[in-house]
Amino acid sequence: MCFRLAFWQWQRAQEKQGLIEQIDASSGEYWWRKVSKPEQLQGATAQIRGRIDTSQFWFLDNQIVNGQVGYDLVVLFLPQDYTEYFVLNLGFIAGERDRKQLPDFDLPTNEVMIEVEFKIGDWAGFTLATSPNQSAHHSNVLQYLDHTFFVQNTGQQLSPLLMIAKNAVFDHVEPHYQAVVMGPDKHRAYALQWLLIGISAGVIAFFAYRPKKLGSSHYE
């Protein structure tokens, strides 16, 4: 079992290395559109030009950055020459002392260039909330992000990919999140770990079995 796990981790390392090389070899502003499978963009970054939908936005609750309590500001983003919207996490914005009062800001109305990181799969992470919008005061304050929720509440065609901003698009918003991605080096380290555990288990089993075998032959 340990050897099988070591081999699996080694295969994952090879897959991740191939993906990194594919991304590094890509050039131009629109390379990410040529990727055939959305899951291959997990953890990748790209410079994307487009417009933010200023008509609606959401606050992801219970965020703490540098000791400040606040929200992550979430919007819809439409890349240039694209028909499908993306949910975009712009980053942290500090909250007010009064929970009934939301932060005041102005979203850019002009076209912007944003460096984003892609995340696919479970957007929510760990949460005890049973639905995204459970705020007692505001319908646009969310406990977690959910693709189905945004589709149902915006009426827009939305990509399954979540975009996470890597640079601030206006003052007072601070990007801070990185999608959790395990690189090839970490997979190789796990492969070596499982290999050593397997070898150790085999050596221990060999020496544990050997005295019993010798002892039984002596009494015979």
Side-chain angles (χ1 to χ4, degrees):
M1 180 63 71
C2 291
F3 293 150
R4 286 178 62 88
L5 287 170
F7 180 68
W8 175 71
Q9 287 288 353
W10 183 261
Q11 285 183 314
R12 294 290 293 153
Q14 297 299 99
E15 292 172 3
K16 291 290 180 68
Q17 187 64 46
L19 178 57
I20 289 173
E21 291 173 358
Q22 174 188 335
I23 291 172
D24 289 342
S26 303
S27 61
E29 189 177 326
Y30 303 105
W31 70 266
W32 58 277
R33 301 184 184 188
K34 302 175 184 178
V35 176
S36 58
K37 297 179 181 179
E39 59 267 20
Q40 292 179 330
L41 286 172
Q42 170 71 12
T45 59
Q47 293 274 352
I48 300 178
R49 189 186 307 274
R51 291 184 179 274
I52 293 172
D53 180 359
T54 59
S55 65
Q56 51 190 337
F57 50 83
W58 301 264
F59 295 95
L60 180 60
D61 205 357
N62 303 315
Q63 304 299 308
I64 301 176
V65 175
N66 298 326
Q68 282 190 302
V69 178
Y71 312 87
D72 274 0
L73 181 59
V74 180
V75 297
L76 296 186
F77 180 70
L78 184 64
Q80 189 180 58
D81 302 323
Y82 218 67
T83 58
E84 188 177 51
Y85 277 86
F86 287 78
V87 175
L88 170 64
N89 185 333
L90 288 174
F92 176 81
I93 187 167
E96 305 290 341
R97 289 190 176 183
D98 185 356
R99 292 278 295 174
K100 296 180 181 180
Q101 184 178 352
L102 294 176
D104 187 26
F105 59 90
D106 291 316
L107 287 171
T109 57
N110 57 309
E111 194 172 69
V112 295
M113 175 73 82
I114 306 177
E115 182 181 5
V116 302
E117 183 173 346
F118 294 98
K119 180 179 180 181
I120 193 169
D122 182 17
W123 294 5
F126 176 77
T127 178
L128 297 177
T130 56
S131 64
N133 54 339
Q134 292 183 331
S135 172
H137 307 294
H138 306 282
S139 60
N140 64 334
V141 173
L142 307 180
Q143 301 305 306
Y144 61 89
L145 303 183
D146 178 74
H147 180 266
T148 302
F149 168 83
F150 286 107
V151 171
Q152 293 175 347
N153 284 268
T154 64
Q156 299 286 358
Q157 181 182 357
L158 296 177
S159 169
L161 286 162
L162 173 66
M163 286 184 176
I164 302 165
K166 304 289 287 182
N167 64 293
V169 298
F170 65 93
D171 293 338
H172 309 304
V173 64
E174 180 181 354
H176 66 98
Y177 180 81
Q178 289 187 345
V180 179
V181 180
M182 187 182 294
D185 288 341
K186 203 162 192 178
H187 281 293
R188 293 189 188 102
Y190 280 129
L192 178 60
Q193 175 182 304
W194 282 115
L195 179 63
L196 293 176
I197 291 174
I199 293 173
S200 300
V203 170
I204 292 171
F206 173 77
F207 283 104
Y209 173 74
R210 189 178 179 187
K212 294 180 180 180
K213 187 175 181 181
L214 293 176
S216 61
S217 60
H218 174 75
Y219 285 110
E220 288 174 359

